[in-house]
């Protein structure tokens, strides 16, 4: 009996589909079979670079393949992020994202960015965060955050605050503090944390909300006074400094968050493989210690979906602050 042509065609297509699926499955099982590139969208030496190099080393150990760092600095991290977004979605190019900074840029540079943080990337995992701390020059007459707020209210528009850039987490944290505390200060933007901290220490600017690692040497040497950490609880790096909640500003919860992203369209099986490897990294005592020495608290493992929700929440949060405070990228 002759098999009808449409049945023969259907059988052939079914076999072909099985073969393609088997090849794809084999390819995913072999992943990675060559080095992976991790784009760091900032120059060497900064926080993202330091964290990225630790992640690259430990991720490579988990995957059995070298993870090569590729620094693509410029435009506040946007050049490197765009390069990663436009890379082939095959799992061999990843982004070490400074997620808080990218999230603020999504609103500040809306219409000018050539990538979309929430659409052009497949989140792999949020890997860690760097807490921020409110610091003042000792000349500012305030020993606590409550005293600082009272002083700022009694001296409207007389206080300046420094930041490392218009869209930096440091600037956003100071804006959030103003909103929550009902105070008004003048923003002085610098090209990086280094010169900003120099002027706060020197007394040219009164205060700053800065990362703990950058502030710690000045706090311990009494060149700056720490008023509160922008975290829900106290942290191990500054155990004697109250949390913002203890200091009376519970919504002042800001950290500089970092995570690994892949180009959108990267196969789910590859994203899952990377996610599993990163979960082992952030749970590794050795990696945790390496990160903590750089002022980074390793994140708890999350799924790609959970990491995506966290990024979307970050974008929405800062969009609200930026819009309602009328913050501009050139301010």
């Amino acid at each position: 009996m002759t098999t009808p042509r449409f049945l023969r065609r259907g059988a052939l297509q079914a076999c072909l589909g099985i073969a393609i699926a088997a090849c794809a499955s084999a390819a995913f099982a072999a992943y990675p079979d060559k080095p992976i590139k991790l784009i760091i969208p900032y120059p060497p030496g900064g926080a993202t670079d330091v964290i990225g190099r630790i992640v690259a080393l430990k991720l490579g150990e988990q995957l059995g393949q070298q993870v090569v760092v590729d620094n693509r600095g410029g435009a506040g991290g946007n050049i490197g992020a765009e390069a990663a977004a436009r890379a082939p979605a095959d799992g061999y190019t990843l982004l070490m994202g400074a997620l808080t900074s990218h999230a603020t840029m999504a609103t500040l540079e809306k219409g000018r960015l050539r990538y979309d943080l929430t659409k052009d990337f497949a989140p792999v995992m949020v890997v860690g965060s760097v807490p921020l701390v409110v610091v003042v020059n000792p000349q500012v007459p305030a020993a606590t955050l409550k005293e600082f707020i009272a002083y700022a209210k009694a001296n409207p528009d007389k206080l300046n605050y420094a930041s490392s850039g218009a869209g930096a987490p440091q600037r956003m944290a100071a804006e959030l503090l103003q909103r929550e505390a009902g105070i008004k200060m003048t923003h002085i933007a610098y090209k990086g944390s280094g010169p900003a901290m120099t002027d706060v220490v020197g007394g040219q600017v009164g205060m700053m909300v800065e990362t703990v690692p950058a502030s710690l040497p000045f706090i311990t040497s009494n060149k700056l006074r720490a008023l509160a950490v922008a975290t829900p609880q106290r942290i191990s790096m500054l155990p004697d400094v109250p949390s913002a909640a203890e200091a009376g500003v519970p919504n002042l919860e800001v950290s500089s968050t970092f995570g690994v992203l892949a180009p959108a369209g990267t196969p789910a099986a590859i994203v899952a493989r990377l996610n599993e490897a990163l979960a082992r990294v952030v749970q590794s005592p050795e990696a945790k210690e390496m990160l903590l020495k750089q002022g980074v608290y390793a994140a708890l493992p999350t799924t790609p979906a959970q990491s995506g929700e966290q990024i979307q929440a970050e974008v929405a949060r800062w969009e609200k602050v930026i819009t309602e405070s009328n913050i501009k990228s050139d301010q």
Side-chain angles (χ1 to χ4, degrees), residues 63-299:
L63 295 173
Q65 278 289 347
Q66 185 180 13
V67 178
V68 181
V69 166
D70 180 6
N71 291 94
R72 301 273 191 99
N78 292 329
I79 290 175
E82 181 185 348
R86 299 290 172 258
D90 57 7
Y92 289 98
T93 300
L94 305 173
L95 176 69
M96 185 70 241
L99 301 179
T100 307
S101 295
H102 293 318
T104 60
M105 285 296 182
T107 297
L108 281 175
E109 299 288 342
K110 185 176 290 185
R112 293 188 291 271
L113 291 181
R114 292 186 290 184
Y115 69 92
D116 188 305
L117 180 62
T118 59
K119 295 179 181 178
D120 291 336
F121 290 102
V124 179
M125 183 180 288
V126 174
V127 296
S129 62
V130 176
L132 273 64
V133 58
V134 181
V135 292
V136 296
N137 182 280
Q139 295 176 3
V140 175
T144 67
L145 187 58
K146 286 183 179 179
E147 289 180 3
F148 176 81
I149 292 169
Y151 177 75
K153 287 181 176 179
N155 297 272
D157 295 317
K158 289 185 180 180
L159 273 173
N160 295 336
Y161 74 92
S163 86
S164 57
Q170 293 91 328
R171 195 271 174 91
M172 295 298 117
E175 290 289 345
L176 189 60
L177 172 60
Q178 292 184 92
R179 286 166 54 84
E180 294 298 322
I183 60 177
K184 181 65 176 174
M185 300 181 290
T186 300
H187 176 225
I188 309 295
Y190 291 80
K191 293 183 177 179
S193 287
M197 289 296 285
T198 297
D199 276 6
V200 178
V201 171
Q204 287 86 355
V205 184
M207 69 87 69
M208 186 174 182
V209 187
E210 179 56 291
T211 62
V212 169
S215 305
L216 196 54
F218 302 106
I219 295 170
T220 54
S221 63
N222 296 318
K223 292 179 180 178
L224 290 177
R225 183 182 298 131
L227 303 184
V229 287
T231 53
Q233 294 88 31
R234 296 192 183 203
I235 61 173
S236 60
M237 284 185 279
L238 287 171
D240 297 327
V241 177
S243 68
E246 288 178 275
V249 189
N251 291 328
L252 183 62
E253 183 180 339
V254 186
S255 61
S256 189
T257 305
F258 300 86
V260 176
L261 309 175
T266 299
I270 288 179
V271 172
R273 173 90 169 92
L274 290 166
N275 178 269
E276 291 167 2
L278 284 170
R280 291 192 292 272
V281 168
V282 299
Q283 293 178 100
S284 158
E286 183 182 2
K288 282 184 177 180
E289 184 178 354
M290 291 175 70
L291 288 168
L292 190 57
K293 284 181 178 179
Q294 301 300 327
V296 184
Y297 288 95

Side-chain angles (χ1 to χ4, degrees), residues 7-23:
L7 290 179
R8 293 202 303 272
R9 187 187 307 117
L12 180 62
Q13 289 174 337
C15 290
L16 183 60
I18 292 171
I20 292 172
C23 288

Side-chain angles (χ1 to χ4, degrees), residues 37-59:
K37 179 167 62 178
L38 180 65
I39 292 179
I40 296 178
Y42 296 95
T48 312
D49 178 67
V50 171
I51 295 165
R53 289 178 185 275
I54 294 172
V55 170
L57 174 65
K58 292 303 177 182
L59 179 60

